[in-house]
Amino acid sequence: MQHKIKYFLRLSWLFLLSSVAFNTFASGYKVVLIHGLQTSQITSGYPIDVPADGASYWSEFWAQHADVRIDWPALERIEGKIASNYVWPKLKQMSQQGTCQPGCILVTHSTGDLVARYLLDNQANWLENAGMTPLNIVATFDIAGAGGGSELADLAVSVAQGTAGLNPLLEAAITVWLGGSVEGRLGVLNDLKVNNARQIAALPEARTPRLRFVADGTLFLGATKLFLKGTDDSVVATHSACGASRADNFGSCSASIATSGKLASQSDAVSGFMPHHYPMLMSDKYDHFSVINDRAEGKVTAALTSRQLLDGNVVNFNTYDEQTGAWFWKSTYRYVENSANNSLSRLMLNAMR
């Protein structure tokens, strides 16, 4: 009898420990937002209200689920004033306040992916050299990430510098993307050029997992798709959003599943990834901007269903298979549970919890 009591107490204690660990994972992480390119800042020039623009950027969904924002101006360069005047002060504040003691997840969109890569590569050294504690960043959730640059930025810089030649289709595509013509500084557009982007913190020392969330939808009546490699979300090509180690005409982040969810060999899949980059969810229903909103656009598939974070916890997405057609026209699709009724952003938030 005494043996049974001890056994029961031991099981109860183990259950309590596991419950505490789960609750820490479920509610303990702090969410840090890093927005993408603010095209209106590029077209309008200074003066701009960086905090107000940052707040507006995330206002539909992520703002109410975040603890910190890192805002930055599109008119500057990442390794220049963006890092020194905007990223560094926020890192100091977060370290002094112990924000990331329970662990932080960076949620980035578009060019925010590139800002985060530079941050991850330098934050520990910067803070230690200042006598402060480095941030405990357990993962990033990179939504429509532009860490591999965008061909549109290459073209926009060429148009602004007058080296693109006369191409009305190109000029129209750049104008519709930016919402106007480029005035004054090119700023972060220079960093977004494909070759330049891939040289910024290309081999970061930080082993933080970069979890990727990829879209393949259409904006601007398809005008920008003509100038992007492979499949794309109308602003960023798959090679960039997936975290591919090189720019090429890729069609999927996975060799066995299409962005639509169809299970089939993908001959044009990404063949290699940048260090610690892991594509998770993909969808051909979302575009570059709808991915950060809270509107369900259609079913989502998974390139990977689970990934361990830096602290050992695991982000997981449950999937199911669905068959269509019959005989020779029979196809199997793999979808994430509840993705028909939940936005891609909400699926990510639920996975964090």
Side-chain angles (χ1 to χ4, degrees), residues 78-334:
I78 290 175
E79 295 176 304
K81 288 186 178 180
I82 291 176
S84 63
N85 294 11
Y86 296 89
V87 175
W88 170 235
K90 189 65 69 171
L91 294 179
K92 287 195 295 183
Q93 181 186 53
M94 292 167 66
S95 179
Q96 290 165 348
Q97 296 177 352
T99 303
C100 293
Q101 285 183 0
C104 277
I105 292 178
L106 307 184
V107 174
T108 79
H109 179 240
S110 192
T111 313
D113 167 25
L114 192 54
V115 175
R117 195 165 79 217
Y118 192 66
L119 181 162
L120 290 171
D121 194 35
N122 291 285
Q123 66 96 7
N125 286 334
W126 289 347
L127 290 168
E128 286 175 348
N129 289 339
M132 289 182 280
T133 303
L135 304 183
N136 176 27
I137 302 172
V138 300
T140 71
F141 279 38
D142 301 308
I143 311 171
S150 173
E151 289 80 2
L152 297 182
D154 289 77
L155 298 173
V157 171
S158 296
V159 169
Q161 295 177 340
T163 59
L166 183 61
N167 187 331
L169 283 178
L170 168 58
E171 293 182 8
I174 297 304
T175 299
V176 73
W177 169 45
L178 295 177
S181 59
V182 176
E183 300 290 343
R185 303 187 192 193
L186 294 169
V188 81
L189 286 179
N190 284 304
D191 295 321
L192 266 179
K193 294 173 65 175
V194 172
N195 288 338
N196 291 350
R198 291 181 170 276
Q199 292 174 11
I200 295 177
L203 297 171
E205 292 184 10
R207 301 178 63 84
T208 308
R210 310 295 309 274
L211 309 190
R212 320 291 291 180
F213 300 87
V214 180
D216 182 24
T218 300
L219 285 168
F220 318 126
L221 300 177
T224 55
K225 284 182 170 289
L226 297 171
F227 306 100
L228 293 163
K229 285 189 174 183
T231 57
D232 60 83
D233 60 16
S234 294
V235 175
V236 172
T238 295
H239 71 79
S240 187
C242 294
S245 57
R246 60 187 173 87
D248 210 334
N249 294 302
F250 298 121
S252 175
C253 303
S254 169
S256 60
I257 188 167
T259 56
S260 65
K262 185 175 181 179
L263 293 178
S265 177
Q266 305 296 306
S267 60
D268 58 355
V270 174
S271 54
F273 297 92
M274 289 188 278
H276 315 300
H277 284 57
Y278 308 100
M280 301 298 292
L281 303 189
M282 305 185 295
S283 175
D284 63 349
K285 305 300 182 185
Y286 290 81
D287 59 53
H288 188 73
F289 300 113
S290 62
V291 285
I292 61 170
N293 296 330
D294 194 26
R295 295 185 297 274
E297 302 287 350
K299 294 177 181 178
V300 171
T301 192
L304 289 175
T305 57
S306 65
R307 185 66 210 176
Q308 188 177 68
L309 307 187
L310 197 61
D311 62 353
N313 283 311
V314 176
V315 166
N316 183 70
F317 296 97
N318 295 323
T319 61
Y320 67 95
D321 290 353
E322 185 177 287
Q323 292 186 336
T324 62
W327 300 98
F328 298 108
W329 298 274
K330 190 175 184 179
S331 297
T332 302
Y333 289 79
R334 179 160 295 161

